[in-house]
Amino acid sequence: MPPVRHVAAADDPVAAVLDAHERGELIALRTSGTTSEPRSVVRTTRSWVDSFPYVSRLTGIDRHARVWLPGPLSATMNLFAAVHARYVGATVVDGPDGATHAHLTPALLHAGLQQGTDLAGVHVVVAGDRLPRDLADRAGAAGAQVSHYYGAAELSFVAWGTHEEDLRPFPGVEVEVRSDVVWVRSPHLSQGYDGADGPFTVAADGFATVWDRGSLDGGVLTVAGRGADVVLTGGATVLVADVELGLRRAGVPDVVVVGVPHRRLGSVVAAVVADVTVADHARAAARAALSSVQRPRLWFHLAQFPVTASGKVDRAAVAALAGAGRLPAVPRGAGS
């Protein structure tokens, strides 16, 4: 077995990945740990490099590109983007001024639009979480070209599109949904974990999964999320991904669903919205799209969702704020 290089420990992780590629070494990458404990994923450098031509074609990133990467290189999506940029000779820039491309999470894109960041003419590649159609449309209205992909540190690229409702299998990747679970057969898969257990599972036919749930309809993949985030309420188990997906499909953007402790029921489902003007519509959407046990019993407002170091919405922080009574309740009629 080739030696394994832990690239995060290097002074220049990008150079470490490219040097490991030259030497035929494996690389170990830390996962973000947003749904479980962080662990190191081991993969060949070829499993990344072989996807570079597809990424270049889909994004237009070449030696003339100027790529803005505001997220930390400790996040796999950012490290991949930085390695790809250096490999093709693109210039990585420190800010959006003069950038031709940007790699952002949905939370960072939302924050940038709120702050008036000029994205006109920038090809924004969004990953790390689901990109709602509404947010993609807002970025497009600001003059950006938007691409969105779904993947995982263990799987690499799975599907590519323009938002969460427009994801189709990445070139060379086969996607199947078996019993509501997304399975992938791909040349870009990792080799598993370095001395740890985790969700990555490979079947005898070569299809692998990290147990994300989803559906495949007409070649379009919809990803609901992993079943790790649940609310136990009155003896029922509610997957927050199902509630969020139902609300987003009904036209409710920027919503985070969490559990809030309840003396009798254990927890109740709570929805936190960034825009109070959608509150009445959100309640109506919940009644129409969700079962009675899934419907949020509490509604809160938080103008800017906190994010983790990797730029994803910090669901645990939102839940803590809601549970501590530190978020304002949204009264009925707030959207009228």
Side-chain angles (χ1 to χ4, degrees):
M1 179 177 176
V4 178
R5 187 182 301 203
H6 291 259
V7 296
D11 292 336
D12 184 347
V14 177
V17 172
L18 294 175
D19 185 62
H21 183 63
E22 291 293 325
R23 296 173 182 271
E25 298 175 351
L26 300 173
I27 55 174
L29 309 161
R30 294 284 282 175
T31 66
S32 63
T34 54
T35 57
S36 59
E37 288 299 316
R39 54 178 65 86
S40 290
V41 175
V42 177
R43 61 169 56 250
T44 66
T45 57
R46 179 61 59 187
S47 67
W48 271 11
V49 172
D50 285 353
S51 70
F52 286 174
Y54 300 114
V55 176
S56 294
R57 177 169 57 83
L58 290 165
T59 62
I61 295 175
D62 58 18
R63 63 187 180 87
H64 303 293
R66 294 173 58 82
V67 184
W68 177 39
L69 296 170
L73 294 184
S74 56
T76 305
M77 62 169 277
N78 295 323
L79 180 58
F80 175 93
V83 174
H84 171 254
R86 192 175 298 185
Y87 188 87
V88 302
T91 300
V92 174
V93 296
D94 293 332
D97 292 346
T100 60
H101 296 76
H103 289 263
L104 306 174
T105 62
L108 290 178
L109 175 60
H110 174 78
L113 291 173
Q114 280 194 320
Q115 295 162 8
T117 301
D118 185 5
L119 296 176
V122 179
H123 190 147
V124 181
V125 182
V126 185
D129 204 345
R130 297 180 293 273
L131 175 64
R133 179 196 290 264
D134 174 79
L135 182 55
D137 288 346
R138 283 155 50 197
Q145 180 181 349
V146 180
S147 292
H148 176 47
Y149 70 83
Y150 157 67
E154 298 92 337
L155 305 175
S156 194
F157 293 103
V158 174
W160 192 284
T162 56
H163 51 75
E164 65 172 345
E165 300 173 43
D166 178 44
L167 290 171
R168 298 177 184 274
F170 188 79
V173 174
E174 299 174 72
V175 179
E176 293 184 0
V177 175
R178 305 172 181 177
S179 301
D180 297 327
V181 174
V182 179
W183 290 80
V184 179
R185 186 158 59 189
S186 164
H188 312 304
L189 298 178
S190 73
Q191 298 191 356
Y193 303 108
D194 183 24
D197 295 324
F200 181 64
T201 303
V202 182
D205 59 3
F207 276 85
T209 186
V210 290
W211 302 99
D212 279 343
R213 300 167 59 255
S215 60
L216 193 61
D217 184 11
V220 177
L221 177 67
T222 299
V223 182
R226 207 161 301 176
D229 290 317
V230 301
V231 179
L232 301 177
T233 178
T237 300
V238 176
L239 294 174
V240 301
D242 288 347
V243 180
E244 291 177 349
L245 181 61
L247 291 173
R248 290 198 308 276
R249 282 179 168 172
V252 181
D254 303 327
V255 59
V256 175
V257 174
V258 298
V260 171
H262 188 277
R263 181 176 58 83
R264 182 171 57 86
L265 299 175
S267 294
V268 294
V269 179
V272 184
V273 295
D275 182 359
V276 293
T277 66
V278 305
D280 284 351
H281 171 66
R283 286 189 170 95
R287 290 193 297 270
L290 303 173
S291 68
S292 59
V293 72
Q294 291 176 316
R295 291 173 201 150
R297 299 302 190 241
L298 300 173
W299 293 84
F300 299 107
H301 172 238
L302 182 59
Q304 185 69 53
F305 297 138
V307 297
T308 65
S310 59
K312 301 179 183 181
V313 172
D314 192 336
R315 187 178 300 278
V318 175
L321 290 170
R326 296 174 59 189
L327 296 180
V330 179
R332 293 188 182 277
S336 58

